[in-house]
Amino acid sequence: MDNVFDYEDIQLVPAKCIVNSRSECDTSIELGGHKFKLPVVPANMQTIIDETIATQLAEGGYFYIMHRFNPEKRVNFIKDMQGRGLIASISVGVKPEEYTFVEELATLGLTPDFITIDIAHGHSNAVINMIQHIKGLLPKSFVIAGNVGTPEAVRELENAGADATKVGIGPGKVCITKIKTGFGTGGWQLAALRWCAKAATKPIIADGGIRTHGDIAKSVRFGASMVMIGSLFAGHEESPGNTIEIDGKKVKEYFGSASEFQKGEKKNVEGKKMYVEHKGSLNDTLVEMQQDLQSSISYAGGTKLDAIRTVDYVIVKNSIFNGDKVY
Ligand SMILES: NC(=O)C1=CN([C@@H]2O[C@H](COP(=O)(O)OP(=O)(O)OC[C@H]3O[C@@H](n4cnc5c(N)ncnc54)[C@H](OP(=O)(O)O)[C@@H]3O)[C@@H](O)[C@H]2O)C=CC1
Ligand SMILES: Nc1nc2c(ncn2[C@@H]2O[C@H](COP(=O)(O)O)[C@@H](O)[C@H]2O)c(=O)[nH]1
């Protein structure tokens, strides 16, 4: 791979505007036969989403993926969501008990609309076997598999039956994989996304490294159908993390799914905890994201997300912000 770059190194080039108002621009996206308001999904992490937020998002027309860290709650969660006519979107791992869980769902006649296989190193037989297990027992569930960082991995997971793949090894804000292992797409996530998207025949979800709303448009430009975001969604009133005060300022915790705070032990730790500024309501952020993305579409010279996919771009090597703070 040559010519690597990340979000900060790229600017999209404006094209002639064809709308009179940004409100004419449509940010919606289709995934798995469902239409969602934004190509954005909050990370399936314990300090980002819980059952209440999942319900709020589904009712509001947004995509969501529930995390897998309260495994015993999943059956009732699926029943509850589908009982209300909402999509059921859950996560699984690859350990033996997760195979049993998928069998239990099939026996109960429960088909989640979306199942995400949430594993650090998704290019593995463990994930391929789980994709095949789910597809054998729950063929109507839309399976998202990951995480990966290479075209080979995308092809293998797609060939195994995955309906979408999730790209991003190590670019996350609370990730320490790159430091502890020396591997990953941290620092070149956007280029890795482009590399993977060229090989993909099914949707790609870009995961990790989004620091500004403009990064969502850049992800779409380089091949993402959907963008998974953790840190920008941390710290809201509704966010599950604990709130504390530091120097008189309210902050909320955000920790990695492979951190010792999640695992309850110091074994194979590849995540850390941080505190983020308290941000107000989640809905306000979603509305602002939508407005910013509508503006991106207008700069792309179109009325729909697809307009962004073909815009020109320039590489400006870390100079976009010219030393300024982002906000
Ligand atoms: N996107 C990213 O960059 C990363 C995300 N994470 C997140 O952390 C959470 C925990 O992930 P994960 O540890 O995979 O899940 P689990 O702790 O559920 O581990 C799943 C299984 O995979 C094995 N495993 C984990 N990592 C590797 C590896 N590098 N090579 C071989 N086998 C492995 C584990 O065994 P054993 O533990 O014995 O090795 C275990 O049997 C997930 O939510 C994941 O999304 C974690 C790191 C990177
Ligand atoms: N290496 C690790 N990556 C992790 C961990 N927990 C979550 N994640 C990944 O980060 C993104 C969110 O990234 P952000 O930049 O938007 O904050 C999330 O979706 C996971 O893929 C972890 O412990 N270690």
Side-chain angles (χ1 to χ4, degrees):
M1 257 290 280
D2 51 3
N3 199 19
V4 294
F5 48 81
D6 213 339
Y7 288 101
E8 263 207 315
D9 305 320
I10 290 290
Q11 278 287 267
L12 304 176
V13 177
K16 187 179 179 190
C17 181
I18 61 161
V19 294
N20 291 317
S21 161
R22 285 165 283 205
S23 60
E24 294 168 38
C25 297
D26 176 8
T27 60
S28 68
I29 184 89
E30 191 271 338
L31 188 75
H34 297 268
K35 191 175 172 185
F36 300 105
K37 272 188 189 163
L38 279 177
V40 165
V41 59
N44 47 348
M45 299 167 71
Q46 204 165 6
T47 48
I48 298 298
I49 189 161
D50 59 13
E51 288 80 359
T52 309
I53 294 177
T55 308
Q56 181 188 331
L57 291 168
E59 284 176 343
Y62 299 100
F63 186 41
Y64 79 90
I65 302 176
M66 186 57 196
H67 67 72
R68 64 178 167 92
F69 303 110
N70 294 125
E72 69 292 347
K73 286 187 173 178
R74 289 178 296 190
V75 165
N76 281 341
F77 176 75
I78 298 163
K79 285 183 183 165
D80 189 42
M81 296 300 275
Q82 292 185 332
R84 299 186 206 195
L86 301 173
I87 61 154
S89 174
I90 59 154
S91 303
V92 297
V94 294
K95 290 184 178 165
E97 58 271 24
E98 296 293 75
Y99 281 79
T100 313
F101 169 63
V102 172
E103 286 153 23
E104 185 190 350
L105 292 183
T107 307
L108 291 170
L110 286 176
T111 299
D113 302 87
F114 295 86
I115 301 181
T116 297
I117 305 173
D118 171 35
I119 293 298
H121 191 4
H123 191 186
S124 64
N125 286 333
V127 168
I128 288 169
N129 293 339
M130 181 51 97
I131 293 169
Q132 290 166 345
H133 188 62
I134 296 171
K135 281 295 174 186
L137 290 172
L138 304 168
K140 293 204 170 132
S141 286
F142 185 94
V143 174
I144 298 168
N147 275 22
V148 298
T150 63
E152 292 82 355
V154 169
R155 278 190 217 105
E156 273 203 57
L157 300 194
E158 284 188 352
N159 289 341
D163 299 298
T165 52
K166 195 143 68 71
V167 172
I169 311 258
K173 186 98 172 175
V174 284
C175 164
I176 52 173
T177 300
K178 54 185 171 285
I179 296 159
K180 292 193 76 177
T181 72
F183 281 82
T185 59
W188 61 292
Q189 166 71 1
L190 194 57
L193 173 64
R194 180 176 72 160
W195 198 32
C196 290
K198 282 186 174 167
T201 60
K202 298 175 184 177
I204 288 217
I205 301 178
D207 179 12
I210 302 294
R211 300 289 173 263
T212 66
H213 294 182
D215 293 345
I216 300 167
K218 293 177 191 176
S219 304
V220 171
R221 169 61 184 83
F222 288 96
S225 293
M226 188 63 78
V227 185
M228 179 171 266
I229 304 178
S231 51
L232 289 189
F233 280 118
H236 288 99
E237 272 155 26
E238 302 89 335
S239 302
N242 287 331
T243 306
I244 60 162
E245 258 189 42
I246 298 180
D247 297 334
K249 270 194 175 170
K250 265 196 192 174
V251 292
K252 283 194 100 158
E253 66 179 357
Y254 173 42
F255 57 71
S257 304
S259 66
E260 65 173 296
F261 307 96
Q262 181 73 64
K263 293 180 163 211
E265 61 175 340
K266 260 192 172 166
K267 184 170 175 282
N268 292 125
V269 166
E270 289 187 22
K272 64 181 181 182
K273 175 155 92 172
M274 62 183 289
Y275 288 95
V276 298
E277 203 179 315
H278 198 284
K279 288 186 190 135
S281 97
L282 175 61
N283 197 53
D284 288 351
T285 296
L286 288 166
V287 167
E288 190 182 337
M289 256 180 202
Q290 177 162 23
Q291 290 171 354
D292 290 343
L293 196 53
Q294 284 178 312
S295 205
S296 300
I297 294 170
S298 82
Y299 281 110
T303 59
K304 293 187 186 311
L305 270 184
D306 274 349
I308 296 176
R309 299 193 192 284
T310 49
V311 291
D312 287 336
Y313 64 90
V314 289
I315 299 181
V316 288
K317 275 293 168 196
N318 286 322
S319 56
I320 295 175
F321 299 115
N322 198 23
D324 291 347
K325 283 236 161 77
V326 178
Y327 290 111

